């Protein structure tokens, strides 16, 4: 993005604003498609700090604030909070003390360019997908002084918007990349075929014209290894590692379109209950060690006792030493690579069930799950209405920290907490019930109000029963 962007479209602002906050030590901890759903800044491990950075960006986007003004405001803010300059910090994954660059003018420029650039392109993609009169997408290089040779070779490429090329090569395609796309009508496509398009300005300053391309170029694969996770994956020449995904084809919107086109229901495709005979605990592919592995497997056995056997998509559970959360969930839109990270905490079984609740929300429920519950099935609306109509949830309004309060009051978090309590109740798992009692007896309202009393939860559990019966997700005796 340029330094003066003007107000960005609402779709771009929404793309950034609806991301979950994801503290991460390295940019490689949140990888590829995870960025469609997770907002992260490397070394920003504090949720309040991360929330402030995101809020400042969305404000700048909506107000058309220039980069220079945003940079100065953020530099003052981050300096006051001690997140500035080179400092010795601890890597939560390894425990190693390393010297790292926190805030700086250069890092702020990178944060600005990457987040606003991806948000803008996501907004373009969302608007273009809604337009039946614009069936094509055209690739254009941006205003960089120098272009990557591959990006320059793609300039003027026009392909149908459902071409698979756009799933991996839709801009932005790397650090500092300023390439863009635009959606093209049939009439424009015919005119460009006849007359060409403006060529990038060359050294003589003359723009000239060039013919368009209408055949998808060969995608040259390259094998990479994420050094933080050990994950091997296929990237492509001309695209920086981690950028080979379409920021606009996010989350359940993409799945919803696929399922609607193929007339396949969510319950037929990703329901955790069914006759396959595959235990949920096997389908979830646990990869943790020691006590956290035992705790997670115990939670999965409790979940299996409720849902029965069924083909849940794969989900990896990995150890984390982060101090800013007990558990975290991340996923890819096609449901093929889901991850739970578990840190040491006071209630690991309940935490594991909570994160599986997020997994079910994002991978099994219609629309965008409980994030878009007003557009979802009535059984989901009744669940969230029943959850909200409790003294516990009303009590959350007294929490002083506004960001923590909004987090606890979000539909996705309310659902995940209710799901973990439902599993504890329905399965009869004593460890989870003890952890639930400990939470309810806490003197700290921010902890106690995260779960419901027995009397409050009975009608909530009844509504969840109804939802799971409709979805076919309850074990049949």
């Amino acid at each position: 993005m340029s330094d003066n962007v003007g107000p960005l479209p609402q779709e771009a602002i929404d793309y950034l604003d609806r991301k979950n906050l994801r503290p991460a030590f390295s940019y490689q901890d949140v990888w590829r498609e995870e960025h469609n759903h997770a907002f992260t800044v490397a070394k920003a491990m504090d949720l309040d700090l991360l929330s402030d950075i995101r809020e400042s960006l969305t404000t700048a986007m909506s107000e058309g604030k220039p980069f220079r003004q945003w940079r100065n405001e953020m530099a003052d803010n981050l300096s006051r909070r001690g997140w500035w300059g080179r400092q010795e910090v601890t890597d939560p994954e390894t425990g190693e003390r390393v010297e790292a660059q926190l805030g700086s003018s250069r890092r702020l420029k990178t944060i600005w360019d990457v987040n606003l650039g991806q948000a803008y392109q996501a907004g373009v993609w969302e608007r273009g997908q809604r337009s039946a009169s614009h069936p094509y997408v055209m690739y254009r290089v941006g205003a960089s002084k120098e272009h990557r040779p591959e990006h320059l070779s793609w300039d003027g490429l026009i392909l149908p918007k459902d071409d698979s090329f756009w799933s991996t090569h839709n801009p932005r395609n790397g650090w500092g990349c300023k390439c863009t796309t635009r959606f093209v009508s049939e009439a424009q496509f015919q005119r460009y075929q006849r007359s060409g398009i403006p060529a990038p300005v060359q050294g003589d300053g003359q723009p000239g014209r060039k013919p368009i391309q209408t055949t998808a170029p060969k995608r040259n694969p390259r094998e990479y290894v994420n050094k933080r996770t050990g994950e091997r994956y296929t990237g492509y020449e001309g695209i920086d590692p981690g950028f080979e995904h379409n920021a606009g084809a996010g989350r359940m919107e993409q799945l919803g379109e696929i399922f609607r086109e193929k007339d396949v229901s969510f319950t037929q495709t990703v329901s955790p209950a069914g006759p396959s005979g595959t235990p949920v605990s096997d389908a979830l592919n646990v990869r943790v060690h020691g006590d956290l592995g035992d705790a997670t497997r115990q939670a999965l056995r409790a979940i299996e006792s409720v849902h029965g056997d069924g083909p849940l998509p794969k989900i990896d559970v990995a150890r984390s030493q982060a101090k800013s959360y007990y558990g975290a969930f991340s996923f890819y839109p096609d449901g093929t690579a889901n991850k739970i990270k578990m840190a040491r905490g006071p209630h690991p079984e309940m935490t594991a069930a909570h994160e599986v609740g997020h997994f079910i929300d994002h991978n099994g429920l219609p629309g965008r799950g409980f994030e878009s519950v007003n557009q979802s099935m009535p059984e989901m609306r009744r669940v969230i209405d029943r959850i909200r109509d409790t003294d516990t949830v009303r009590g959350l309004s007294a929490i002083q920290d506004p960001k923590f309060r909004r987090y606890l009051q979000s539909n996705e978090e309310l659902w995940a907490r209710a799901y973990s309590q439902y599993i504890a109740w329905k399965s009869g798992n004593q460890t989870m019930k003890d952890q639930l009692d400990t939470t309810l007896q806490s003197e700290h309202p921010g902890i106690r109000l995260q779960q419901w009393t027995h009397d409050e939860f009975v009608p909530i559990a009844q509504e969840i029963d109804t939802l799971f019966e409709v979805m076919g997700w309850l074990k049949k005796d």
Side-chain angles (χ1 to χ4, degrees), residues 158 186-197 211-212 214:
I158 301 180
E186 183 64 42
Q188 290 171 322
F189 177 66
Q190 297 296 333
R191 185 168 69 252
Y192 293 148
Q193 278 192 311
R194 292 191 303 269
S195 307
I197 57 174
I212 63 171
T214 58

Side-chain angles (χ1 to χ4, degrees), residues 24-179:
F25 188 78
S26 168
Y27 77 94
Q28 293 175 315
D29 290 340
V30 180
W31 199 234
R32 304 178 75 185
E33 289 92 339
E34 289 180 289
H35 285 283
N36 287 344
H37 323 285
F39 179 78
T40 190
V41 173
K43 310 298 186 299
M45 304 298 290
D46 180 80
L47 278 172
D48 284 346
L49 176 66
L50 197 58
S51 178
D52 281 353
I53 295 174
R54 183 182 64 177
E55 187 172 330
S56 72
L57 286 169
T58 56
T59 299
M61 292 165 64
S62 61
E63 296 178 356
K65 187 178 296 185
F67 167 70
R68 188 185 299 273
Q69 179 183 350
W70 176 82
R71 180 197 62 195
N72 293 342
E73 292 172 355
M74 284 307 300
D76 290 342
N77 185 0
L78 298 177
S79 296
R80 287 195 305 270
R81 301 175 70 158
W83 201 80
W84 195 260
R86 295 194 68 82
Q87 297 184 30
E88 193 175 74
V89 294
T90 300
D91 184 336
E93 293 287 340
T94 66
E96 180 184 3
R97 295 286 291 176
V98 297
E99 185 177 294
Q101 178 68 57
L102 301 183
S104 69
S105 294
R106 183 175 180 178
R107 284 209 67 192
L108 290 177
K109 187 66 167 70
T110 299
I111 292 168
W112 173 274
D113 285 344
V114 171
N115 283 283
L116 268 68
Q118 294 290 61
Y120 176 78
Q121 282 301 125
V124 169
W125 185 264
E126 183 175 339
R127 293 195 307 278
Q129 290 298 311
R130 292 201 304 263
S131 174
S133 62
H134 291 76
Y136 303 101
V137 180
M138 177 166 61
Y139 192 106
R140 298 300 330 245
V141 294
S144 301
K145 293 181 179 179
E146 296 183 7
H147 303 290
R148 294 169 174 85
E150 295 87 357
H151 296 193
L152 199 57
S153 73
W154 302 330
D155 183 60
L157 174 67
I158 301 180
L159 297 172
K161 61 186 179 184
D162 61 355
D163 194 286
S164 63
F165 180 85
W166 304 119
S167 67
T168 53
H169 287 59
N170 195 65
R172 301 300 171 84
N173 285 320
W175 304 104
C177 172
K178 294 181 173 61
C179 295

Side-chain angles (χ1 to χ4, degrees), residues 20-24 29-30 34 38 45 47 93 288 296 315-322 324-331 338-344 348 350-359 362 407 413 416:
N20 298 319
L21 299 175
R22 185 71 52 78
D29 290 340
V30 180
E34 289 180 289
M45 304 298 290
L47 278 172
E93 293 287 340
V288 291
T296 305
I315 182 166
D316 293 334
V317 184
R319 176 183 288 277
S320 171
Q321 298 179 12
S324 56
Y325 60 78
Y326 296 138
F329 171 68
S330 60
F331 60 95
N338 304 276
K339 295 180 181 178
I340 286 176
K341 289 186 177 181
M342 292 283 292
R344 292 186 180 276
M350 287 290 286
T351 298
H354 177 109
E355 300 306 329
V356 172
H358 283 306
F359 161 68
H362 291 299
Y407 167 76
E413 276 302 306

Side-chain angles (χ1 to χ4, degrees), residues 405-471:
R405 183 174 64 247
R406 288 196 298 270
Y407 167 76
L408 291 178
Q409 291 175 329
S410 67
N411 285 345
E412 304 98 302
E413 276 302 306
L414 289 172
W415 159 254
R417 299 202 300 274
Y419 178 79
S420 64
Q421 186 161 341
Y422 176 82
I423 292 298
W425 275 33
K426 199 82 172 177
S427 68
N429 183 284
Q430 191 59 50
T431 300
M432 297 176 71
K433 291 171 71 175
D434 290 344
Q435 292 171 357
L436 175 60
D437 289 341
T438 299
T439 298
L440 291 172
Q441 293 167 13
S442 173
E443 296 181 359
H444 192 296
I447 297 175
R448 184 179 67 255
L449 294 174
Q450 292 191 37
Q451 304 295 159
W452 291 264
T453 65
H454 175 89
D455 291 342
E456 284 184 315
F457 199 72
V458 168
I460 295 173
Q462 291 171 342
E463 294 294 351
I464 296 176
D465 273 340
T466 301
L467 171 64
F468 284 167
E469 286 171 358
V470 170
M471 299 296 290

